[in-house]
Amino acid sequence: MQISLDQFLSAIMARVDNLEATIDDLRMRTNIAMRLVKFMAPDFTRDDVKKAVEEELEVTMNAGLMEENERGEEITDRLTDNIYDWLQGDVSELKERMDEYRKKLQEAMEAEKSKVIDVAPASFVNQLGQERGPKKGKILF
């Protein structure tokens, strides 16, 4: 079965769009669930968040999704700070990181615009695969 490059790229983009929609849905559900937790336990502290982060990292490690050496106090503290600030409504750092991410993404897109991908037509590829004289050329894909 042969498909054109355009069909292949369209299929890939459809999958990426589907994944993006799924991630957005999961993010919204997680945000709502966490807001409910905050409303039900309004007096939670940073230590409560840290305990939850440590427990989740322990479960992740026991499940084999994380190595012991990947888990450290720095990761725990960073996750705790990010989650606690987010639950408290302090999103200034998140906004800064998103702005930085958008800037890098824009720069990458600008750099990609200057690059050109040349695709050989099928007839050219077939010519390369033909046998010629004593040397029998073959194309390896």
Side-chain angles (χ1 to χ4, degrees), residues 9-19:
L9 291 175
S10 293
I12 295 291
M13 289 306 296
R15 296 245 180 192
V16 168
D17 288 343
N18 188 15
L19 284 173

Side-chain angles (χ1 to χ4, degrees), residues 28-49:
M28 178 67 75
R29 290 173 187 264
T30 302
N31 289 348
I32 291 169
M34 292 304 294
R35 298 287 174 220
L36 285 171
V37 168
K38 181 182 174 187
F39 293 136
M40 297 183 89
D43 56 344
F44 71 93
T45 64
R46 185 184 180 286
D47 290 335
D48 296 330
V49 175

Side-chain angles (χ1 to χ4, degrees), residues 47-66:
D47 290 335
D48 296 330
V49 175
K50 185 173 183 172
K51 288 177 189 174
V53 167
E54 288 172 342
E55 183 178 329
E56 181 58 29
L57 291 176
E58 184 70 28
V59 168
T60 303
M61 190 184 67
N62 290 339
L65 302 173
M66 174 187 248

Side-chain angles (χ1 to χ4, degrees), residues 55-115:
E55 183 178 329
E56 181 58 29
L57 291 176
E58 184 70 28
V59 168
T60 303
M61 190 184 67
N62 290 339
L65 302 173
M66 174 187 248
E67 297 294 324
E68 179 69 36
N69 59 356
E70 293 175 344
R71 184 174 171 216
E73 193 65 29
E74 180 183 330
I75 292 172
T76 303
D77 288 341
R78 190 175 65 228
L79 283 171
T80 300
D81 290 341
N82 287 341
I83 292 170
Y84 185 75
D85 290 345
W86 172 75
L87 285 172
Q88 294 301 319
D90 182 10
V91 293
S92 59
E93 184 180 334
L94 178 62
K95 286 174 96 175
E96 288 175 17
R97 286 187 296 169
M98 286 303 295
D99 289 341
E100 183 179 317
Y101 171 76
R102 285 186 184 114
K103 183 179 176 184
K104 287 181 181 180
L105 184 61
Q106 186 66 29
E107 289 172 359
M109 289 175 65
E110 291 295 325
E112 286 298 316
K113 284 182 182 179
S114 64
K115 294 181 182 177

